[in-house]
């Protein structure tokens, strides 16, 4: 294959997926800008509650499509209310912090929004059913979402005029939408799968609009069995995936994407140190000194072994590896302790250097 592809990030780049622990946007932006100088992102702080969660945060960007919080989920509303006002206010605080710490930044800056299909899977209609069950409703949502994302992109550019913006569209529910595995409101049935052609068309319209606006469209799907081919055909110029969930079944799809010039953001470090999810000798283990690194995190080469093994199977020149691949945690870091979150960024930084210096295992 050729090596003429260009990527919107420096060689041996590393970054975060999106979320960050804590509630202080000023501290979060300052930390992310300092720790990720080559490819920083606008951090999301869901610990702040309603309106800072992934759905509410992007719900606040929707145009003429009000939603509100109900006990079960976000739901379509008649008029904008205090929940949307809170989401808008929290986003404003985040953008103010971004302006303060990144106004003069001139590299690639990543922002994240929930994708149209994850929104449709998560927001309820007034009758309590998932919005994705109503074709007319999800068409309206997709149009509102696209308009809101473009307006948000313009605002970020106004705040950081020298940056090239990479728009990461988070679609953790996309696989469930395609497979028809989302439960209905009663919990006894499943929402009918949405036709793949329709799913692809909606994403293509969004990615095309983002690219025509001069930004880089990317897609993030951390679920098992990500639809790599569908995302590539939809026009995503970068794919953010959990490398620890990729199998040999994905090899051909990943290889086709790389040959087409699609960049990869691959999760190689666990995103949480929660004790309930970790054994005593893993990242969640603690001593008097606080969270400890797992063997995988303390060994940079072992951290990126899944990526190097994938590259070997694909048969792509090793020289391309550190240019095409950005190392990341496997998902957002909001569920981690602050100490572990920083350690995770150290680990992905070290892993990126291994991909550059030792691309072959």
């Amino acid at each position: 294959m050729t090596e003429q592809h260009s990527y919107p990030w420096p060689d041996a780049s590393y970054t975060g997926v999106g979320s960050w622990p804590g509630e202080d946007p000023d501290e979060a932006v300052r930390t992310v800008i300092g720790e990720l100088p080559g490819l920083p992102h606008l951090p999301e702080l869901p610990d702040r509650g309603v309106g800072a969660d992934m759905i509410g945060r992007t719900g606040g960007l929707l145009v003429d499509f009000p939603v509100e919080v109900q006990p079960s989920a976000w739901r379509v509303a008649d008029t904008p209310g205090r929940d949307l006002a809170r989401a808008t206010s929290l986003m404003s605080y985040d953008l103010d912090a971004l302006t303060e710490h990144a106004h003069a930044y001139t590299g690639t800056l990543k922002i994240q929004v929930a994708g149209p299909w994850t929104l449709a899977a998560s927001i309820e209609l007034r009758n309590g059913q998932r919005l994705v069950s109503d074709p007319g409703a999800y068409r309206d949502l997709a149009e509102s979402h696209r308009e809101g994302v473009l307006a948000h992109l313009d605002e970020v550019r106004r705040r950081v005029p020298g940056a090239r913006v990479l728009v990461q569209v988070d679609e953790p529910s996309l696989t469930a939408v395609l497979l028809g595995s989302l439960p209905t409101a009663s919990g006894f049935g499943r929402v009918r799968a949405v036709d793949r052609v329709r799913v692809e068309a909606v994403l293509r319209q969004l990615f095309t609009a983002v690219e025509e606006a001069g930004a880089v469209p990317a897609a993030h799907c951390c679920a098992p069995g990500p639809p790599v081919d569908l995302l590539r055909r939809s026009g995503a110029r970068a794919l953010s995936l959990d490398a620890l969930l990729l199998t040999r079944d994905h090899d051909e799809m990943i290889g086709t994407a790389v040959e087409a010039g699609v960049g990869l953001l691959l999760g190689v470090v666990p995103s949480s140190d929660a004790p309930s999810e970790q054994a005593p000798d893993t990242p969640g283990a603690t001593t008097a000194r606080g969270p400890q690194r797992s063997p995988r995190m303390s060994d940079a080469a072992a951290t990126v072994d899944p990526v190097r093994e994938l590259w070997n199977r694909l048969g792509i020149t090793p020289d391309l590896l550190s240019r095409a691949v950005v190392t990341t945690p496997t998902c957002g870091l909001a569920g981690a302790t602050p100490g572990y979150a920083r350690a995770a960024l150290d680990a992905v930084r070290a892993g990126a250097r291994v991909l550059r210096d030792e691309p072959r295992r």
Side-chain angles (χ1 to χ4, degrees), residues 14 35 38 50-51 62 81 100 112 180 191 221 253 258 273 325 340 347 351:
Y14 48 94
E35 297 289 335
V50 171
L62 298 176
E100 173 69 21
Q112 304 82 219
V191 177
C221 184
M253 293 182 283
V258 173
D273 57 340
V325 172
Y340 180 86

Side-chain angles (χ1 to χ4, degrees), residues 19-343:
S19 66
W20 188 258
E23 301 180 18
D24 184 346
D26 187 78
E27 180 183 358
V29 171
R30 183 173 63 248
T31 299
V32 165
I33 295 294
E35 297 289 335
L36 305 170
L39 184 56
H41 63 89
L42 177 61
E44 303 164 359
L45 304 174
D47 285 350
R48 292 177 294 182
V50 171
D53 59 292
M54 181 176 68
I55 302 305
R57 185 177 177 84
T58 303
L61 302 179
L62 298 176
V63 177
D64 297 327
F65 200 102
V67 292
E68 63 185 5
V69 174
Q70 292 294 322
S72 55
W74 284 86
R75 182 175 291 184
V76 175
D78 293 323
T79 58
R82 63 181 182 182
D83 297 328
L84 279 188
R86 176 175 168 79
T88 301
S89 177
L90 291 173
M91 180 67 82
S92 179
Y93 293 148
D94 294 348
L95 292 175
D96 287 346
L98 184 69
T99 304
E100 173 69 21
H101 297 287
H103 179 74
Y105 179 74
T106 57
T108 298
L109 170 69
K110 183 165 71 70
I111 62 175
Q112 304 82 219
V113 295
W117 293 110
T118 291
L119 285 180
S122 304
I123 295 174
E124 295 178 347
L125 298 167
R126 292 180 181 87
N127 63 9
Q129 297 296 334
R130 294 179 190 266
L131 191 149
V132 72
S133 65
D134 184 327
Y138 65 64
R139 279 196 299 270
D140 291 343
L141 173 66
E143 292 176 5
S144 171
H145 176 266
R146 187 166 61 251
E147 187 175 347
V149 168
L150 294 178
H152 181 52
L153 172 58
D154 285 344
E155 179 65 14
V156 170
R157 279 191 173 133
R158 186 179 71 80
R159 305 284 192 131
V160 192
R164 182 182 187 186
V165 182
L166 188 154
V167 180
Q168 176 182 297
V169 177
D170 292 330
E171 285 285 16
S173 299
L174 182 58
T175 301
V177 168
L178 292 166
L179 295 178
S181 59
L182 292 166
T184 58
S186 68
F188 295 112
R190 294 290 181 267
V191 177
R192 184 187 300 273
V194 181
D195 181 72
R196 297 179 73 91
V197 173
R198 185 166 295 174
V199 169
E200 185 176 326
V202 167
L203 291 173
R204 183 181 297 110
Q205 289 175 332
L206 173 60
F207 294 151
T208 298
V210 167
E211 193 159 33
E212 288 177 346
V216 180
H220 169 69
C221 184
C222 56
V228 174
D229 275 347
L230 184 149
L231 293 170
R232 173 186 57 80
R233 291 194 307 266
S234 299
R237 303 305 178 191
L239 299 177
S240 176
L241 309 167
D242 182 345
L244 307 184
L245 295 180
L246 296 177
T247 68
R248 290 178 181 270
D249 291 339
H250 297 100
D251 285 2
E252 184 176 351
M253 293 182 283
I254 296 291
T256 300
V258 173
E259 290 194 3
V262 175
L264 301 174
L265 291 84
L266 296 182
V268 294
V269 173
S271 61
S272 174
D273 57 340
S276 61
E277 298 176 2
Q278 305 291 342
D281 59 346
T282 64
T286 59
T287 67
R289 295 189 301 272
Q292 301 299 297
R293 292 189 180 194
S294 69
R296 176 174 291 279
M297 283 184 65
S298 61
D299 184 341
T303 297
V304 294
D305 269 350
V307 177
R308 296 195 293 180
E309 291 170 0
L310 168 66
W311 218 252
N312 289 340
R313 295 198 304 269
L314 297 180
I316 301 174
T317 173
D319 295 341
L320 187 62
L321 179 53
S322 66
R323 287 159 47 197
V325 172
V326 174
T327 52
T328 74
T330 55
C331 204
L333 293 166
T337 62
Y340 180 86
R342 287 177 179 269

